[in-house]
Amino acid sequence: MARRNTQKISEITRQELVDRILMDTHGAFPGRFGLIPFLRLVWPLTQMSSTDSRFNDAERDIWQHMVNNDDWTMHDLLVTRLKVLEIPDQKFGRFLETLVHPLNVPDKGQQAEYVKWINEELKNDGFELRKVDEVSSRPIYKLSPIGGDALGDAYEVVLSFAGEDRKYVEQVAEILKSRDVELFYDNYEEASLWGKNLVEHLHKVYSGSGRYCVMFISAAYAEKVWPTHERRSAFEKAIKSKEEYILPARFDDTDIPGLHQHIGYVDLRQKTPKELAKLILQKLGYPTDESQNVDVASTISNDDIPF
């Protein structure tokens, strides 16, 4: 199944940018970070599966084929292995932001030249790298729509659940992370949450940062304070959104105030974490093994639908 095209930065623009990067660097990886440290800032390499049976994760197989053996080209790495032409706009933006970061390109003139030609391509899709901060008098750039706010740390899916249901939810999160899905799961955000005003930050996450919110419904979910805050924030976005946002997944039949009774849901009493993760991947438009595809429509409960 082909991934649904939701990128606003077109494949043509991405290809032009990648070609220019490869041309300007003669196939080597640009900047001071070095290959693996750079990639770690954009992709969760140790959570991504290896294409080489000798290794457990993507970081090891990329090191083997790019550093130790040098039998992959930079095009093989970026386009074929890391699928830079297909990743979400936010992640592609992080790739460009890391490329021009002053720690990677400390020379102001070279950094300015990078930003100039990158923006020449991005403007065709209504985006730009915009200066948002400075470090040691050197600018830091963020991908932003022209005339709009920076994209920020958006997620493809945010997970809302009670701690009592963590064992199940964590298995789902691990599968999604292994497929390089941009997701909000609190255990993956420990460092970023440290010191933040959680009321404000979680409101931002659940009311605007995600494409979908998977709501894991249970008796504990209805009673706990933080899940209540999360779902109220999610409802705020759902009211404004023209497309579905909340994806209910039920451990039981607990009534959730504010959740319309006719919204289709997945019954987790009949779904393993692996099966639910596969449904989420299909909803996001990720390619899956066709022989194992789940029929999304057949998994949704129709008990409350009056037709």
Side-chain angles (χ1 to χ4, degrees), residues 43-111:
W43 286 271
L45 298 182
T46 59
Q47 299 294 328
M48 295 166 59
S49 59
S50 173
T51 58
D52 188 320
S53 60
R54 295 173 293 175
F55 307 113
N56 295 326
D57 57 51
E59 181 169 319
R60 289 295 305 278
D61 79 22
I62 290 172
W63 180 88
Q64 175 69 19
H65 294 285
M66 291 296 299
V67 180
N68 193 37
N69 282 350
D70 194 25
D71 56 349
W72 285 357
T73 66
M74 194 60 64
H75 184 276
D76 292 335
L77 172 66
L78 293 177
V79 176
T80 304
R81 181 67 177 90
L82 297 175
K83 302 188 184 303
V84 75
L85 304 184
E86 305 172 28
I87 57 179
D89 290 329
Q90 289 80 11
K91 179 165 287 189
F92 188 73
R94 188 153 67 245
F95 171 74
L96 297 177
E97 293 157 8
T98 306
L99 178 68
V100 303
H101 195 281
L103 288 175
N104 191 51
V105 185
D107 182 89
K108 290 183 180 180
Q110 185 180 21
Q111 184 197 38

Side-chain angles (χ1 to χ4, degrees), residues 187-234:
N187 275 0
Y188 298 159
E189 305 283 339
E190 185 174 3
S192 67
L193 292 176
W194 190 11
K196 279 190 167 65
N197 181 318
L198 293 182
V199 173
E200 293 180 359
H201 183 72
L202 293 177
H203 175 74
K204 179 180 178 181
V205 168
Y206 289 97
S207 69
S209 291
R211 179 177 167 193
Y212 295 117
C213 173
V214 179
M215 192 175 285
F216 292 86
I217 296 170
S218 66
Y221 184 80
E223 296 171 357
K224 292 299 184 71
V225 172
W226 285 112
T228 297
H229 176 62
E230 293 167 4
R231 69 173 177 268
R232 285 175 177 170
S233 299

Side-chain angles (χ1 to χ4, degrees), residues 151-194:
L151 291 184
D153 298 320
Y155 302 95
E156 294 180 273
V157 62
V158 297
L159 307 181
S160 180
F161 62 97
E164 287 81 353
D165 304 316
R166 182 177 296 279
K167 183 177 180 181
Y168 185 103
V169 176
E170 182 145 329
Q171 293 179 67
V172 176
E174 287 294 322
I175 295 169
L176 297 178
K177 190 171 183 180
S178 73
R179 291 296 305 274
D180 200 21
V181 172
E182 294 285 334
L183 77 153
F184 181 86
Y185 172 60
D186 58 358
N187 275 0
Y188 298 159
E189 305 283 339
E190 185 174 3
S192 67
L193 292 176
W194 190 11

